[in-house]
Amino acid sequence: MTVVLKLGGSVVTRKGEPETVDEEALDRAVRAVAAVAPDDLVLVHGGGSFGHPAAEHHGVSRSDGTHDAVAVCDVHRAMVRLSEAVVTRLHGAGVRALPVRPLSAGARDAAGDLSLWPGSVETMLAAGFTPVLHGDVVADVDRGATVVSGDELVAALSADLSAERVGLCSAVPGVLDDAGEVVPRIERFEQVADVLGGSESTDVTGGMAAKVRTLLELGVPASIFGLDELGAFLSGETPGTLVEA
Amino acid sequence: MTVVLKLGGSVVTRKGEPETVDEEALDRAVRAVAAVAPDDLVLVHGGGSFGHPAAEHHGVSRSDGTHDAVAVCDVHRAMVRLSEAVVTRLHGAGVRALPVRPLSAGARDAAGDLSLWPGSVETMLAAGFTPVLHGDVVADVDRGATVVSGDELVAALSADLSAERVGLCSAVPGVLDDAGEVVPRIERFEQVADVLGGSESTDVTGGMAAKVRTLLELGVPASIFGLDELGAFLSGETPGTLVEA
């Protein structure tokens, strides 16, 4: 059973402090993964205070690209530094983690659609490793190179690997309603459109509205939960908000 | 016109000196690439004094794998350090180089056959970048992770990209005959079997016999030449030894 788990950039890094790992949060996440990792676990993490400042500095986003190779490598290396921190801690906890770089395994066509080759991830899983992907830059036929978010990778991996469960470990305990309570289940976007800003919201930052819309299209049960519930999710429970169309 | 050029590990590093770039040789190679790079140039480099000691230390080769993720990352990082040195110098010379990691873009099946996804390389070329690959470790279904050589990558890229020319810039000026003279053209292995050690030679280190056999199978004209002739090769000439079945 393949499980795709994303550790949010805001969970594993200190937002606002450039290139700073949240050591305590990352250690908790790593301990949870080491304790109850399913057989076929694919990890993805976001950019947090590593990728986002570098991408902003160079004016690169999912829609705005650059043909400057130095800028591309600058953003990529920032994300590799975070990935190395995550992978090294996983090794320390006995998890056989291997990095997969979206810049090498992915690309965008002229329509901006992402191709992500699943071959290395599949083979790593078959050989007993735990692949670790991350938000990154990818070559883009028309725009040079553009950003690929962790959420976009989760969607691509979920489809390509026929994942049975998807988890997004975020800085909040789930999708919250007007009263600040976790919405236990979302089957249609309209259920939460009011509280998330509506389906017309131009949410380009990977915020909650975009996450929910992406997850509703997966065709796979997806949970959004906080770090406190990561162990429960990995044990097979559905903490936080379950998103399933 | 797509050209695949391999810079030998023995050209760009000092063999015998652990993780030491041959600065002068690398600078010469980079200047040649910057001066006369064809439109669609794909670069590959070998491991030299970076990859080989790390792989030997962990007992990993093309046939002997490891399931130890720390060992895999140790070999991979050694090659990434060399790749970063190459890419950074290319940037300094104005070449829009981007790294492609075989660990992310490749894998071996149960028969040991290599799959290398050409999508990122193709998209980088289409967007005007120069992809840089390197000898590496790749996930291997049965053996955990095994070494992939620069020569093996050249063969895979040549086929996948329908390359029109292949060049191997090596520490020698070509395939040498008994008298130490460059053999100008090889069409069948038997022509050079005596001097290269015969077709039964168990050449697992990527030596000249294995290179010639691999190049004869490409179906593309391939040249083996020394650093002095790199500019000539990139200009469209066929210096050194031309290998074409």
Side-chain angles (χ1 to χ4, degrees):
Chain A
M1 161 150 141
T2 301
V3 176
V4 177
L5 170 66
K6 185 194 161 202
L7 301 172
S10 56
V11 176
V12 296
T13 75
R14 293 185 181 277
K15 282 210 169 172
E17 297 180 39
E19 300 217 0
T20 306
V21 171
D22 186 331
E23 304 280 353
E24 192 196 327
L26 179 56
D27 282 348
R28 285 179 64 199
V30 164
R31 280 199 302 272
V33 168
V36 285
D39 276 353
D40 285 343
L41 177 66
V42 180
L43 287 173
V44 178
H45 61 80
S49 63
F50 287 72
H52 291 296
E56 273 174 35
H57 175 72
H58 291 291
V60 185
S61 67
R62 177 162 171 179
S63 52
D64 292 323
T66 179
H67 287 83
D68 177 353
V70 175
V72 176
C73 287
D74 201 38
V75 179
H76 178 63
R77 285 170 185 151
M79 286 308 303
V80 168
R81 285 191 287 274
L82 177 55
S83 166
E84 287 290 275
V86 172
V87 165
T88 299
R89 277 166 185 76
L90 287 165
H91 289 171
V95 178
R96 294 200 280 146
L98 292 182
V100 175
R101 312 284 176 222
L103 177 60
S104 296
R108 286 193 202 283
D109 63 18
D113 291 335
L114 177 72
S115 290
L116 184 72
W117 187 62
S120 53
V121 170
E122 287 169 341
T123 307
M124 287 176 188
L125 291 175
F129 295 112
T130 301
V132 178
L133 295 90
H134 50 80
D136 202 352
V137 268
V138 289
D140 184 309
V141 168
D142 284 340
R143 290 167 294 181
T146 46
V147 166
V148 59
S149 70
D151 291 342
E152 205 179 352
L153 296 170
V154 166
L157 289 165
S158 168
D160 290 339
L161 303 174
S162 303
E164 274 143 327
R165 301 176 71 217
V166 167
L168 266 61
C169 182
S170 85
V172 289
V175 177
L176 305 181
D177 65 18
D178 283 334
E181 299 291 319
V182 172
V183 178
R185 190 179 180 101
I186 299 173
E187 295 173 356
R188 293 169 297 106
F189 189 78
E190 292 68 33
Q191 282 177 258
V192 288
D194 286 351
V195 67
L196 293 181
S199 60
E200 301 307 313
S201 165
T202 55
D203 185 340
V204 295
T205 60
M208 198 57 89
K211 279 188 213 306
V212 169
R213 275 196 289 262
T214 301
L215 296 179
L216 281 167
E217 288 168 10
L218 291 187
V220 174
S223 295
I224 301 173
F225 50 84
L227 187 51
D228 290 345
E229 305 291 348
L230 175 55
F233 171 78
L234 290 169
S235 301
E237 298 174 34
T238 51
T241 301
L242 179 65
V243 182
E244 189 174 16
Chain B
M1 161 150 138
T2 300
V3 176
V4 178
L5 169 66
K6 185 194 162 201
L7 300 172
S10 56
V11 176
V12 296
T13 74
R14 293 185 181 276
K15 282 211 169 172
E17 296 180 39
E19 301 216 0
T20 306
V21 171
D22 185 331
E23 302 282 352
E24 192 196 326
L26 180 55
D27 282 348
R28 285 179 64 199
V30 164
R31 279 199 302 273
V33 168
V36 283
D39 275 353
D40 285 342
L41 176 67
V42 181
L43 287 173
V44 178
H45 61 79
S49 63
F50 286 73
H52 291 297
E56 273 174 35
H57 175 72
H58 292 291
V60 186
S61 67
R62 177 163 170 177
S63 52
D64 292 322
T66 179
H67 287 83
D68 177 351
V70 175
V72 176
C73 287
D74 202 38
V75 180
H76 178 63
R77 285 170 184 152
M79 286 308 303
V80 168
R81 285 190 288 274
L82 177 55
S83 167
E84 288 289 274
V86 172
V87 166
T88 299
R89 276 167 186 76
L90 287 165
H91 288 172
V95 178
R96 295 199 280 147
L98 292 183
V100 174
R101 311 284 175 222
L103 178 58
S104 297
R108 286 193 202 282
D109 63 20
D113 291 334
L114 177 72
S115 291
L116 184 72
W117 186 62
S120 51
V121 170
E122 287 169 342
T123 307
M124 287 175 188
L125 291 175
F129 295 111
T130 301
V132 178
L133 294 90
H134 49 79
D136 201 352
V137 270
V138 289
D140 183 309
V141 168
D142 284 342
R143 291 166 294 182
T146 45
V147 166
V148 59
S149 70
D151 290 341
E152 206 179 352
L153 295 170
V154 166
L157 289 164
S158 167
D160 290 340
L161 303 174
S162 302
E164 273 143 329
R165 300 176 72 217
V166 167
L168 266 61
C169 182
S170 86
V172 289
V175 178
L176 305 181
D177 64 18
D178 283 333
E181 298 292 317
V182 172
V183 178
R185 190 179 178 101
I186 299 173
E187 294 174 355
R188 292 169 298 106
F189 189 79
E190 293 67 34
Q191 281 177 259
V192 288
D194 286 351
V195 66
L196 293 181
S199 60
E200 301 306 313
S201 166
T202 54
D203 185 340
V204 296
T205 59
M208 198 57 89
K211 279 189 213 305
V212 169
R213 274 197 290 262
T214 300
L215 295 179
L216 281 168
E217 288 169 11
L218 291 187
V220 174
S223 295
I224 302 173
F225 50 84
L227 187 51
D228 289 344
E229 304 290 349
L230 176 54
F233 171 79
L234 289 170
S235 300
E237 298 174 34
T238 52
T241 300
L242 178 65
V243 182
E244 189 174 17

